[in-house]
Amino acid sequence: GMEEARPPASPAGLSAYVAVSQLLGLTLLATTGAWLGRYRGGVAWQSPLQFNVHPLCMVLGMVFLQGDALLVYRVFRHEAKRSTKVLHALLHGLALVITLVGIIAVFESHRSKGIPDMYSLHSWCGMAAFALYLLQWLLGCAFFLFPGASFSLRGRYKPQHVFFGVALFALSVATSLLGITEMLLFNIRDSYSHFVPEGVLANTLGVLLVAFGLVVGYVLTQDDWKRPPLPEELALSMDFKTLTEGESPGGSS
């Protein structure tokens, strides 16, 4: 019946790469938790441990969830475009909320300990990444999710949206690496060079971050893994073109 007529769930290799990305993502979160729990005293909000909320939220929001939001269009290749789009926006929105919690944690922690804010390269890159990520999300919702943007305007904005999506993900991974290095230099500066377990674990976390970023990036850049337009979308886009670009008589606006 209808089920057999559906295209294959995914091209060869795509499922394997997506599975590896999820395995790496969960390992990332576990490794972050292990580092904070075993060596940094754990995580708590109203306490000297408030700072530790920051790395946990950043790895979860700006890396894992942001990466997964980018993969949505590859994983749900044959679902309705609208529901895929909503899931993409929701995952990014959730990442933003979690990231905001992480940013509040670091500012409050600094204030309670009398540490200055926003002087390090990590903080500059991080704040730029968050501000641009928020802007990217708002523009994405305005252009693609809410009705109103014309088809041609969407078409012109889409390449920018795609490029900045990948660029911001790369910036987020890079900023996380700067943050790990900074944390190690603040906490174990004298013993770091002796290959102490905490240093090795945190370095491993950095390598996992890079691996997750590379696997997600690979999946996103394979042309034949891109989401094929469904027949009804193709028909719809032709209708839109006729309506918006005045290919029918009297249609020019």
Side-chain angles (χ1 to χ4, degrees), residues 46-194:
Q46 292 295 349
S47 85
L49 298 175
Q50 187 176 22
F51 174 83
N52 293 347
V53 174
H54 176 74
L56 190 62
C57 284
M58 293 312 170
V59 170
L60 176 58
M62 289 301 279
V63 180
F64 181 61
L65 286 175
Q66 183 179 180
D68 272 8
L70 297 177
L71 291 177
V72 157
Y73 286 109
R74 302 293 180 277
V75 175
F76 301 102
R77 300 166 56 78
H78 306 298
E79 316 307 314
K81 180 78 173 271
R82 176 84 191 164
S83 47
T84 312
K85 209 184 274 192
V86 169
L87 179 61
H88 177 74
L90 280 174
L91 279 173
H92 279 309
L94 181 61
L96 276 164
V97 171
I98 291 170
T99 300
L100 187 59
V101 172
I103 290 174
I104 293 167
V106 74
F107 278 107
E108 284 197 0
S109 164
H110 281 178
R111 197 176 63 224
S112 68
K113 293 175 184 171
I115 300 171
D117 291 315
M118 298 301 301
Y119 67 87
S120 69
L121 177 60
H122 167 70
S123 64
W124 287 20
C125 290
M127 203 46 89
F130 178 71
L132 290 169
Y133 191 37
L134 178 60
L135 180 65
Q136 163 92 343
W137 186 74
L138 292 170
L139 285 171
C141 287
F143 275 92
F144 302 115
L145 212 51
F146 303 122
S150 80
F151 200 72
S152 58
L153 201 59
R154 281 182 183 189
R156 278 204 290 274
Y157 175 61
K158 193 182 169 190
Q160 275 78 288
H161 184 73
V162 170
F163 169 78
F164 281 106
V166 177
L168 284 170
F169 177 61
L171 176 60
S172 301
V173 171
T175 304
S176 300
L177 297 180
L178 288 170
I180 291 170
T181 304
E182 199 172 290
M183 248 179 99
L184 290 172
L185 292 178
F186 279 139
N187 293 315
I188 59 164
R189 182 184 286 121
D190 300 328
S191 58
Y192 188 23
S193 61
H194 302 304

Side-chain angles (χ1 to χ4, degrees), residues 8-17 74 77-78 223-226 228:
S10 61
L14 175 59
S15 303
Y17 272 93
R74 302 293 180 277
R77 300 166 56 78
H78 306 298
D223 275 342
D224 50 338
W225 290 356
K226 283 190 165 57

Side-chain angles (χ1 to χ4, degrees), residues 15-37:
S15 303
Y17 272 93
V18 169
V20 169
S21 76
Q22 296 315 286
L23 197 62
L24 283 168
L26 295 171
T27 309
L28 263 183
L29 294 174
T31 307
T32 307
W35 178 20
L36 298 173

